[in-house]
């Protein structure tokens, strides 16, 4: 069995279950391409060697070179509006004929319009924007800006958090899989436990997740010189949903101690939780918001930070300075994404889907003792599998069985923390497609429940 830390961000590609998956692939063309992929790309955890060879995508589906389709409930969190969304594609085609690239020393109308749009959606005075080609870079810019604003370099983040894979992002992140063998990283990072109620160091006390907020203040006071608290509003990978009380207390603590609250909404913004941004569920006003993934409409690499107007004080520092900083194509894709969501009432649809999925998954929990906990909001759901509901021992083997059984039958998702089935379908999914996917999942749970 692979080490547990390899499984925090997602399912791994080095397990015996993955080898068994490859053994089932009988198509010579697929085998040949997978071999070529292994030959030419650097191997890395969670990626190469790869699972299959894709040929096309459409809506909620991925299609491999042999014509097999997968309902994609993973999508690396970029596929909120489905793959190859026709509305977004058409807008990009139009922009390709006009201005596909803008050198950094110039601006362009789509970039300006997107900056205005993001500012209009934010609370308070969060209206200063900076773009980047990816979420990792957005995290980097936010950490730099926090140092400028506060004059302090120390950061608090959460264990098991993921904020990107660059050296500064893994320094601030909490996953060992990304930090191991890297040597010295960015100094001044303190990590605390993430707010959890099902398992975790303070969960047994029965006080909800407020002790996790108390611990934040404890570390701020003991450590000193903390400039920022970097955290996902709702943790994406294993779906940890803090309480209203937690966030009210955290906001109070950060304000009291002059610590910037940096929210990483890169994987969950733009409707995933039923609101445009997850912090809207908490009537919460952050100091800096990091955005990415779905911002590019599932097509273009696009990310951003949005910060308070008063933080516009780094004129003599290059916070980002990326070649594709004010990408016209990325900006058009993002604007089209917002337009499509508004025209098709996507947020309202997701809230309706939430009730349906909650009822269905709780029904599965009642049927299968293998399910220890069900957590979700909008179209972001985590199903925690355990071998025993009393001890809460993680059912890692069974989780892999469920995943590969679902893959065989055309449903793709990630497994986080080794035992949490994470479901993130495109927000455009139909009720019929949801029912079909959940039927596949139920059959896989039956198989895993019977496994020794």
């Amino acid at each position: 069995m692979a080490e547990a830390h390899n499984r925090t961000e997602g399912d791994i590609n080095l397990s015996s279950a993955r080898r068994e998956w490859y053994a089932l692939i009988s198509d010579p063309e697929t085998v040949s391409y997978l071999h070529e992929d292994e030959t030419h790309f650097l191997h890395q955890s969670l990626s190469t060697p790869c699972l299959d060879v894709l040929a096309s995508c459409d809506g909620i589906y991925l299609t491999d070179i042999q014509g097999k389709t997968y309902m994609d409930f993973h999508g690396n969190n970029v596929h909120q509006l489905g793959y190859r969304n026709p509305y977004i594609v058409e807008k990009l085609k139009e922009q390709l004929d006009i201005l596909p690239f803008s050198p950094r020393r110039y601006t362009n109308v789509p970039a300006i319009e997107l900056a205005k749009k993001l500012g209009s959606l934010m609370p308070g005075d969060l209206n200063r924007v900076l773009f980047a080609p990816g979420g990792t870079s957005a995290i980097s810019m936010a950490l730099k800006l926090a140092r400028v604003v506060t004059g302090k370099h120390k950061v608090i983040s959460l264990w098991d958090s993921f904020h990107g894979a660059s050296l500064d992002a893994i320094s601030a992140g909490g996953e060992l899989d990304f930090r191991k063998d890297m040597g010295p990283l960015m100094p001044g990072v303190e990590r605390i436990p993430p707010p959890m109620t099902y398992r975790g160091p303070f969960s047994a006390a029965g006080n909800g997740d407020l002790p996790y907020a108390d611990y934040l203040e404890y570390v701020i006071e003991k450590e000193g010189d903390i400039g920022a608290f970097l955290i996902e509003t709702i943790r994406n990978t294993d779906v940890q949903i803090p309480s209203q009380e937690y966030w009210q207390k955290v906001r109070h603590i950060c304000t009291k101690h002059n610590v910037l609250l940096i929210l990483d909404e890169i994987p969950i913004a733009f409707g995933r939780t039923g609101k445009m941004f997850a912090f809207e569920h908490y009537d919460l006003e952050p100091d800096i918001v990091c955005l990415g993934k779905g911002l590019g409409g599932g097509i273009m690499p696009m990310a951003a930070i949005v910060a308070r107007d008063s933080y516009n004080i780094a004129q003599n520092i290059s916070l980002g300075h990326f070649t594709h900083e004010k990408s016209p194509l990325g900006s058009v894709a993002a604007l089209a994404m917002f337009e499509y969501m508004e025209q098709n009432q996507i947020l309202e649809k997701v809230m309706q889907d939430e009730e349906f999925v909650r009822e269905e998954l709780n029904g599965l929990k009642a049927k299968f003792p293998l399910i220890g906990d069900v957590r979700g909001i909008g179209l972001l759901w985590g199903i925690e599998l355990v071998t025993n509901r009393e001890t809460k021992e993680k059912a890692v083997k069974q989780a892999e069985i469920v995943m590969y059984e679902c893959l065989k039958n055309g449903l793709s998702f990630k497994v986080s923390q080794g035992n949490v089935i994470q479901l993130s379908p495109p927000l455009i999914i139909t009720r019929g497609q949801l029912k079909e996917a959940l039927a596949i999942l139920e059959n896989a749970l039956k198989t895993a429940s019977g496994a020794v």
Side-chain angles (χ1 to χ4, degrees), residues 112-127:
I112 294 170
E113 291 300 317
L114 177 57
K116 287 165 58 179
K117 178 65 176 179
L118 288 172
S120 74
L121 294 171
M122 293 288 163
D125 64 342
L126 275 81
N127 54 35

Side-chain angles (χ1 to χ4, degrees), residues 48-220:
T48 303
C50 293
L51 185 74
D52 199 350
V53 184
L54 298 180
S56 64
C57 58
D58 183 58
I60 73 164
Y61 296 101
L62 299 170
T63 304
D64 72 11
I65 58 173
Q66 295 305 307
K68 177 180 178 178
T69 60
Y70 297 95
M71 305 173 79
D72 192 4
F73 279 43
H74 184 335
N76 294 120
N77 302 105
V78 308
H79 67 337
Q80 275 92 326
L81 300 186
Y83 290 109
R84 209 157 46 89
N85 184 291
Y87 185 83
I88 299 171
V89 168
E90 196 57 39
K91 294 289 186 179
L92 283 169
K93 286 179 178 178
E94 293 172 6
Q95 187 62 35
L96 277 168
D97 287 334
I98 302 169
L99 181 70
F101 174 76
S102 175
R104 191 172 44 238
R105 66 189 300 191
Y106 299 97
T107 191
N108 58 85
V109 174
I112 294 170
E113 291 300 317
L114 177 57
K116 287 165 58 179
K117 178 65 176 179
L118 288 172
S120 74
L121 294 171
M122 293 288 163
D125 64 342
L126 275 81
N127 54 35
R128 288 288 178 169
V129 177
L130 200 55
F131 295 139
T136 297
S137 298
I139 294 293
S140 178
M141 296 191 305
L143 293 173
K144 290 178 185 176
L145 182 58
R147 290 188 178 194
V148 175
V149 171
T150 66
K152 297 179 285 187
H153 75 280
K154 293 182 181 178
V155 178
I156 294 177
S157 63
L158 304 182
W159 287 112
D160 288 338
S161 62
F162 177 74
H163 299 292
S166 63
L167 279 173
D168 52 357
I170 65 174
S171 298
E175 293 191 321
L176 178 59
D177 187 35
F178 291 85
R179 300 194 315 275
K180 64 179 188 292
D181 303 326
M182 287 295 103
L185 296 173
M186 184 176 72
V189 177
E190 296 291 330
R191 298 179 187 85
I192 63 175
M196 298 186 289
T197 53
Y198 182 70
R199 64 170 78 245
F202 303 134
S203 300
N207 297 321
D209 54 11
L210 282 180
Y212 296 94
D214 293 333
Y215 192 59
L216 168 66
E217 186 163 35
Y218 177 84
V219 173
I220 289 173

Side-chain angles (χ1 to χ4, degrees), residues 188-251:
V189 177
E190 296 291 330
R191 298 179 187 85
I192 63 175
M196 298 186 289
T197 53
Y198 182 70
R199 64 170 78 245
F202 303 134
S203 300
N207 297 321
D209 54 11
L210 282 180
Y212 296 94
D214 293 333
Y215 192 59
L216 168 66
E217 186 163 35
Y218 177 84
V219 173
I220 289 173
E221 291 175 345
K222 289 294 183 182
E223 178 66 24
D225 296 324
I226 300 294
F229 180 34
L230 172 63
I231 178 176
E232 287 181 85
T233 318
I234 292 172
R235 194 160 78 182
N236 169 67
T237 53
D238 59 341
V239 192
Q240 300 293 342
I241 306 171
S243 67
Q244 292 280 350
E245 293 76 17
Y246 172 85
W247 273 120
Q248 290 171 9
K249 194 163 193 176
V250 166
R251 178 66 274 184

Side-chain angles (χ1 to χ4, degrees), residues 7 58 119 158 193 195 204 219 248 266 309 312 338 354 361 369 385:
R7 300 173 180 271
D58 183 58
L158 304 182
V219 173
Q248 290 171 9
I266 292 165
D309 190 69
N312 186 33
F338 285 123
E354 175 186 318
L361 293 185
L385 304 187

Side-chain angles (χ1 to χ4, degrees), residues 309-422:
D309 190 69
S310 57
Y311 296 172
N312 186 33
I313 57 172
Q315 291 89 340
N316 63 334
I317 298 169
S318 292
L319 294 172
H321 202 66
F322 301 108
T323 299
H324 293 271
E325 183 174 299
K326 293 183 180 177
S327 166
L329 289 175
S331 299
V332 163
L335 289 166
M337 177 267 294
F338 285 123
E339 291 167 5
Y340 184 92
M341 290 187 68
E342 292 163 3
Q343 292 170 11
N344 293 275
Q345 294 83 49
I346 294 297
L347 296 180
E348 293 82 355
K349 174 194 175 299
V350 171
M351 294 306 293
Q352 294 167 7
D353 288 338
E354 175 186 318
E355 293 306 311
F356 170 77
V357 175
R358 186 185 308 280
E359 183 175 346
E360 293 294 309
L361 293 185
N362 281 330
L364 292 179
K365 181 182 177 183
K367 186 179 295 188
F368 296 104
L370 182 61
I371 297 177
D373 194 32
V374 170
R375 304 183 289 270
I377 186 170
L379 282 174
L380 173 66
W381 289 87
I383 306 167
E384 182 147 356
L385 304 187
V386 295
T387 60
N388 183 294
R389 285 183 176 176
E390 295 300 318
T391 65
K392 300 180 182 179
E393 180 184 349
K394 293 185 175 185
V396 174
K397 177 183 176 182
Q398 290 88 340
E400 276 202 318
I401 291 172
V402 171
M403 187 188 78
Y404 283 104
E405 282 295 313
C406 286
L407 283 169
K408 291 174 191 175
N409 292 289
L411 174 61
S412 175
F413 51 77
K414 75 155 65 173
V415 175
S416 179
Q417 300 296 326
N419 72 317
V420 180
I421 295 168
Q422 197 255 39

